[in-house]
Amino acid sequence: MPLLAAERPLSTIHDAMLLDLDGVVYIGPSAVPAAPEAIDKARAAGAQVAFVTNNAGRTPARIAEHLTHLGINATPQDVVTSAEAAARLVAERHPAGSEVLVVGDTGLRQAVRRMGLTPVTVATDSVVAVVQGYSRSMTRDLLDQGTLAVSRGALYVASNADATAPTEWGVTPANGSFVRVIAHATGVEPIIAGKPMRPLHEEGMRRTGARDPLIVGDRLDTDIEGAIVHGAAGLLVLSGVATPLDLLAAPEHQRPNYLSWDVSGMNDTHPGVDAVAGGTRCGGWTVTHTADGPVLEGSGDRLDGLRALCAAVWANPAVDPAGPAARTALAALGW
């Protein structure tokens, strides 16, 4: 999917903004500086806003409380978690009251209970499913119990498969890393509820009534791939996990439609990238293909240079996105 132009702010084009949280709205305990004002502005433009997160550890109420503390108006109804999507997957397959072994935290246990299921922590013969989600206090005992239940044939559902998450300390292991423990031990791969799979964004669209949402995220392999899976527009922000080099190397199923420094980009117009003789141009930047790789020239907005470079690299499969020429171009843009 190529980068697109938008002559109007994205928040006036799309009926809902489905915002990832970690790396987009906040990082650890602190807000991304642009987020509170940007979210207010999107709402003022008429867009619905939902906070759609792969993190299954905290309840929607706790997340809404955190957002409110950061100066962002939010209610539990505005928060859609992968725990809720995972619990719905089980509830669609098993009757109310069924026992579900929860390998995770409070948010996941409460989501299972709200779906009419019974959360448990011991792998008895009556357990019909194992649901695993992120927990900062994951224990060996829970992993053992989950492994036992999956080995006995219980349905295995994971809230998400993110290997890492950005925190105030840096990038740390997330749920996907712990999922590999049970999957490796049992040989059973879980059904994934969270991004990039459809259930979580479907939950967000159900919650907002969206027909044409903009999916905003900082990860290519969850947020942007999830947008493409949904056939929705995707905005990548550079305030979280993904780097410009990651973006250059993105496979076709993980390439965003739009690019911005942070979530304020949902309220901006976006320039197009034009094809020119031997390359691409965006704003004051031109990328020309040579025998040694892409060559970047020009000046102006660094994001325009990155847009031109991405379009040039993506259009030419022979280019090594991590090669010396591409790295030189990124260095010229300050990366």
Side-chain angles (χ1 to χ4, degrees):
M1 179 67 71
L3 291 167
L4 300 178
E7 295 182 353
R8 293 189 288 130
L10 298 177
S11 55
T12 68
I13 296 173
H14 300 277
D15 57 0
M17 308 288 107
L18 303 185
L19 308 181
D20 181 48
L21 284 173
D22 294 307
V24 176
V25 177
Y26 54 63
I27 297 176
S30 303
V32 171
E37 181 181 357
I39 291 165
D40 286 345
K41 191 171 181 178
R43 285 171 166 156
Q48 296 293 313
V49 173
F51 305 99
V52 182
T53 177
N54 264 0
N55 189 331
R58 294 192 295 171
T59 65
R62 285 289 301 278
I63 293 172
E65 181 182 358
H66 181 195
L67 291 169
T68 300
H69 177 72
L70 297 177
I72 298 166
N73 291 324
T75 68
Q77 183 67 16
D78 298 325
V79 179
V80 185
T81 72
S82 60
E84 296 171 298
R88 186 180 295 277
L89 281 174
V90 177
E92 290 172 346
R93 291 163 170 79
H94 293 285
S98 296
E99 291 188 4
V100 177
L101 198 156
V102 176
V103 181
D105 219 328
T106 304
L108 189 54
R109 288 193 296 272
Q110 290 193 9
V112 166
R113 193 176 298 280
R114 283 195 299 272
M115 283 292 172
L117 303 163
T118 303
V120 299
T121 56
V122 178
T124 65
D125 291 339
S126 56
V127 168
V128 300
V130 172
V131 178
Q132 184 171 0
Y134 180 69
S135 172
R136 291 282 291 272
S137 56
M138 182 66 69
T139 65
R140 170 64 187 266
D141 184 57
L142 273 181
L143 291 170
D144 286 348
Q145 294 301 312
T147 298
L148 291 170
V150 171
S151 295
R152 293 169 184 166
L155 175 70
Y156 186 23
V157 176
S159 64
N160 66 296
D162 296 25
T164 61
T167 71
E168 60 269 37
W169 308 290
V171 176
T172 59
N175 190 54
S177 295
F178 292 99
V179 164
R180 299 320 308 160
V181 174
I182 293 179
H184 185 66
T186 63
V188 176
E189 292 296 326
I191 300 171
I192 306 297
K195 299 173 281 188
M197 300 302 157
R198 295 183 66 90
L200 180 54
H201 281 139
E202 287 175 349
E203 196 77 21
M205 293 176 70
R206 185 182 295 114
R207 194 78 58 86
T208 59
R211 298 176 64 86
D212 182 22
L214 177 71
I215 294 174
V216 183
D218 68 312
R219 299 185 69 111
L220 298 167
D221 59 346
T222 56
D223 304 306
I224 301 307
E225 184 173 340
I228 292 171
V229 166
H230 250 352
L235 168 65
L236 179 74
V237 299
L238 296 176
S239 54
V241 169
T243 68
L245 183 58
D246 295 331
L247 183 60
L248 278 188
E252 189 171 355
H253 65 283
Q254 293 180 1
R255 294 172 184 171
N257 302 113
Y258 304 104
L259 177 65
S260 67
W261 293 110
D262 54 42
V263 70
S264 64
M266 66 182 173
N267 298 310
D268 292 338
T269 60
H270 289 256
V273 180
D274 298 318
V276 297
T280 57
R281 180 171 56 215
C282 183
W285 298 92
T286 300
V287 177
T288 305
H289 288 292
T290 71
D292 295 326
V295 174
L296 175 77
E297 296 178 304
S299 62
D301 188 333
R302 290 198 296 153
L303 278 185
D304 287 348
L306 183 56
R307 291 180 177 107
L309 184 60
C310 285
V313 169
W314 295 348
N316 189 343
V319 173
D320 180 0
R327 289 180 179 273
T328 297
L330 283 178
L333 291 170
W335 286 294

